[in-house]
Amino acid sequence: MSDDQLVIAGREFGSRLIMGTGGASSLSVLERALVASGTELTTVAMRRMDAEGGTGVLELLRRLAIQPLPNTAGCRSAAEAVLTARLAREALGTDWVKLEVVADEDTLLPDPHELLDAAETLVADGFLVLPYSNDDPVLASKLQDVGCVAVMPLGSPIGTGLGIRNPHNIELIVSRATVPVVLDAGIGTASDAALAMELGCDAVLLATAVTRAQHPELMAAAMRAAVEAGRLARRAGRIPQRFWAHASSPARES
Amino acid sequence: MSDDQLVIAGREFGSRLIMGTGGASSLSVLERALVASGTELTTVAMRRMDAEGGTGVLELLRRLAIQPLPNTAGCRSAAEAVLTARLAREALGTDWVKLEVVADEDTLLPDPHELLDAAETLVADGFLVLPYSNDDPVLASKLQDVGCVAVMPLGSPIGTGLGIRNPHNIELIVSRATVPVVLDAGIGTASDAALAMELGCDAVLLATAVTRAQHPELMAAAMRAAVEAGRLARRAGRIPQRFWAHASSPARES
Amino acid sequence: MSDDQLVIAGREFGSRLIMGTGGASSLSVLERALVASGTELTTVAMRRMDAEGGTGVLELLRRLAIQPLPNTAGCRSAAEAVLTARLAREALGTDWVKLEVVADEDTLLPDPHELLDAAETLVADGFLVLPYSNDDPVLASKLQDVGCVAVMPLGSPIGTGLGIRNPHNIELIVSRATVPVVLDAGIGTASDAALAMELGCDAVLLATAVTRAQHPELMAAAMRAAVEAGRLARRAGRIPQRFWAHASSPARES
Amino acid sequence: MSDDQLVIAGREFGSRLIMGTGGASSLSVLERALVASGTELTTVAMRRMDAEGGTGVLELLRRLAIQPLPNTAGCRSAAEAVLTARLAREALGTDWVKLEVVADEDTLLPDPHELLDAAETLVADGFLVLPYSNDDPVLASKLQDVGCVAVMPLGSPIGTGLGIRNPHNIELIVSRATVPVVLDAGIGTASDAALAMELGCDAVLLATAVTRAQHPELMAAAMRAAVEAGRLARRAGRIPQRFWAHASSPARES
């Protein structure tokens, strides 16, 4: 399917599965999961790197030839997120940033006001901004209007594994998107990822669904296949849902 | 994943996707879909063969080295289904039969009484019986108790594309199954197939979701990937669902 | 709404909520719940009466002028259920019977074969049979065809509180019903009961949702209101669901 | 249930159903619906009043002794909404206002930024502000933090009848609310309203579900009963959901 690349900010990706690195029990577990996932773009938490005082994840990504996507996880204000993004640019030499500004620790939900402020500032500063947002179609429109290169609505809060709580909102976002839509957060299992793609998302971003699964490598392979399945199904044009049964004539076959 | 074969009646299958042949617009469309699906077992309606006076589908399956699974689609009574199964055995030289006995044309739902009667008769007659049933856990238990080599509960009525209407029943069936469970009927798109496998089904059987999709070959590839994804996810052990968010410490990453 | 009576077997009921008596912590709790529910028809387990050696529940119903509906709870075969029904007729002097024949203790799901056998026998014996069944539209059709005066599909297994797992099946049953449809088993809370009525059921039967609630009397009042709400909504003709918003012109109001 | 009043901004209401007036085919239809609903608080669109050049709705509410709640429906910016609210205060002599600031006509979804701005301005200006918002728990927290007297998250977009698309978000909002939570928009039928109350909302606001139903008066009565049912069920403490069946011993009863 080489004719079906994901393109973000002019860059092509062969995989529509974006991985996160949080939650893995060790670097070797993470490595096997990343390889099994087939990902070509993976987030790295700048603040965690400080905390851990290590750069093992970055070295791993370099070795695997996976593009690192620094994120601003843990930031609670626009100012903090902007600062973190700038430090990341210095440290990693990339203009790409996954922008996270969360409102509180219990829900880890994005703060829509701080998020939009930070996005505007970073776009003006030359960043390629991929904002993690709630599933509000209005906020998604605003984020793309200020120049974000993708919109990344959640399916449900981070780490909950609740899947896509509101497919209607995701469909509304997709129907008006002018940039790629990446389903970010809430994915719990393979069918959630497939559904995201069937709803019209361009990619899926997930971490804990893989890293905290009982067998991360198997789940990474599952997610890889699920994203492909959902994308193919979207392109294939599914049969409509109907109330009554529908047999093939003269005798039906299933 | 060569260590994860589907085994029905002692026979191993590398693919967990069982295809039907009804609804395809032409033999060449069907051929491309079957190849893309990776299936190794495919149903053929004996009564339709009579009606069409042709054996094109059988020749196609022979050429593709896919095991044909004759079915009794269109039968409305145990007697009719038993007769059809016997004719199929004569014609195709196989003891395998997908047993269908439907109650009416509007719902194409199985008749639980005629179905169980026919199953008992055919098992006694040496058939390897794969019965298409509703999603009643009690009926599934009875079918395996009389010697069926698999149970095949529906997700929703044939051709509706409504997916799995009652995951709870499928889980109940899986939890007490002593033979493989094949989700049969109702699949509309890839995430439905993935969900079936995540619920613990051993395989998925579908036809119109592929043959009547706008692009059957693409949807066949989607279903193949979805079944693999769902199976892998089941084996991988998904994260639990939780009400509150869950960050990686010290700063969360997704 | 005196023009909207429930009629079963020619008898009119002002309430569409049928209660069960199992699970109550005491007779006085049960009494307050029954009064709050407004029920005019309430099931009594014949086998439990034997076990408890008491007739307190029957005396209570007599005092409250509620029609007792003996049931065959706990029976596992047609023969056992038929015997129990006959004993009930002797003891209570009523031809009405709620017919239950369950397949096992883990799911308490009806055995479709034993159930249909028992129904035929009891109808031939002059009983007015209200059979507790699964949600299979085919079985519901058979039960009404053999002369049952109502069909009583489950929403989900007894005592689970899982609500209506498969609204599609309930709609199918309603669409072909020639006798009243009573949603029996699985109701957990008020919205479940309202939904049952909106789907077109004629009445709702429940017990543990009330008797095991933290405050049985309040929940009984809730269920009474919910059944009325759902019935009124069904009759009122709801607005269709639509993908896009719909404002009142010139400026919308909500 | 006189001990269970709804209290907003210190004022008590015997009914937890807040009505809107849009969509009614005539004033007499509206009157019958309002009476049947039992509502004590009803929204009036200020901009529509201008457009219609009439005050029939206000006179009707006065006659029925229902408190009018002016709203800013149709406003697209904070400035416009603030101006409309001030005109309403002049015209109606009330500090109460339902604040609506929508982002576009296709979704009628609230603009979170303009909404919060307008709320802050109006609170500072002495208004009692009831803001119509999306279901984002973060926005709900901000609205109550700036002094709104209630929060009014949507179930789904206005007029869609899609019910409560994301119960999880509503539960999150309720769990952190310091002011009454009113479910506003998206209600299609009675069970939706009951569910809103079961999730912990303090009231429900709806218009088109009643005014555009085939029989508005019946649906108003349905909604009245549904809100009562849901409230009672919340207070009653429902049984937990469980996977396996649960019989009453020694023989179960339902």
Side-chain angles (χ1 to χ4, degrees), chain A residues 33-59:
Chain A
L34 291 174
V35 170
S37 76
T39 186
E40 300 177 6
L41 182 64
T42 294
T43 61
V44 183
M46 297 316 293
R47 289 165 63 96
R48 183 192 295 143
M49 291 214 321
D50 299 344
E52 294 178 351
T55 53
V57 171
L58 286 174
E59 287 169 9

Side-chain angles (χ1 to χ4, degrees), chain D residues 115-172:
Chain D
L115 180 66
L116 189 60
D117 281 355
E120 284 195 83
T121 301
L122 290 172
V123 168
D125 201 13
F127 280 90
L128 301 173
V129 180
L130 296 89
Y132 164 62
S133 78
N134 59 31
D135 64 0
D136 176 14
V138 175
L139 181 56
S141 289
K142 291 188 178 203
L143 289 165
Q144 69 188 12
D145 287 349
V146 301
C148 292
V149 298
V151 291
M152 309 216 295
L154 55 73
S156 50
I158 292 168
T160 58
L162 291 174
I164 300 176
R165 289 284 100 180
N166 194 337
H168 184 245
N169 268 1
I170 301 301
E171 286 185 287
L172 286 171

Side-chain angles (χ1 to χ4, degrees), chain A residues 31-252:
Chain A
E31 176 170 355
R32 286 196 297 275
L34 291 174
V35 170
S37 76
T39 186
E40 300 177 6
L41 182 64
T42 294
T43 61
V44 183
M46 297 316 293
R47 289 165 63 96
R48 183 192 295 143
M49 291 214 321
D50 299 344
E52 294 178 351
T55 53
V57 171
L58 286 174
E59 287 169 9
L60 174 60
L61 296 183
R62 195 172 306 126
R63 184 150 51 80
L64 299 175
I66 297 171
Q67 177 181 333
L69 176 60
N71 76 19
T72 63
C75 294
R76 298 280 294 271
S77 70
E80 197 178 7
V82 167
L83 177 61
T84 302
R86 286 175 177 155
L87 292 173
R89 178 158 63 179
E90 289 295 312
L92 275 66
T94 175
D95 290 331
W96 291 58
V97 66
K98 172 178 169 182
L99 178 61
E100 288 191 44
V101 194
V102 301
D104 62 78
E105 295 303 312
D106 292 329
T107 67
L108 295 176
L109 287 170
D111 182 314
H113 298 80
E114 299 294 319
L115 180 66
L116 189 60
D117 281 355
E120 285 195 83
T121 301
L122 291 172
V123 168
D125 200 14
F127 281 91
L128 301 174
V129 179
L130 295 90
Y132 164 62
S133 79
N134 60 30
D135 65 359
D136 175 15
V138 175
L139 181 56
S141 288
K142 292 189 177 204
L143 289 166
Q144 68 187 14
D145 288 349
V146 301
C148 292
V149 298
V151 290
M152 309 215 295
L154 56 74
S156 50
I158 292 168
T160 59
L162 291 173
I164 300 177
R165 290 283 101 179
N166 194 336
H168 184 245
N169 268 1
I170 302 300
E171 286 185 288
L172 286 171
I173 290 171
V174 166
S175 74
R176 307 198 293 186
T178 55
V179 293
V181 178
V182 181
L183 198 291
D184 184 5
I187 297 292
T189 187
S191 55
D192 297 334
L195 175 59
M197 301 304 291
E198 290 165 357
L199 293 172
C201 293
D202 299 276
V204 169
L205 197 168
L206 56 85
T208 57
V210 163
T211 57
R212 294 188 196 275
Q214 289 176 34
H215 303 286
E217 187 177 1
L218 278 185
M219 190 58 92
M223 291 300 183
R224 176 184 195 156
V227 167
E228 291 172 359
R231 176 66 179 178
L232 285 165
R234 171 80 174 187
R235 293 171 63 206
R238 63 160 290 162
I239 55 171
Q241 294 192 324
R242 53 174 71 223
F243 186 82
W244 294 104
H246 185 212
S248 312
S249 58
R252 82 96 205 166

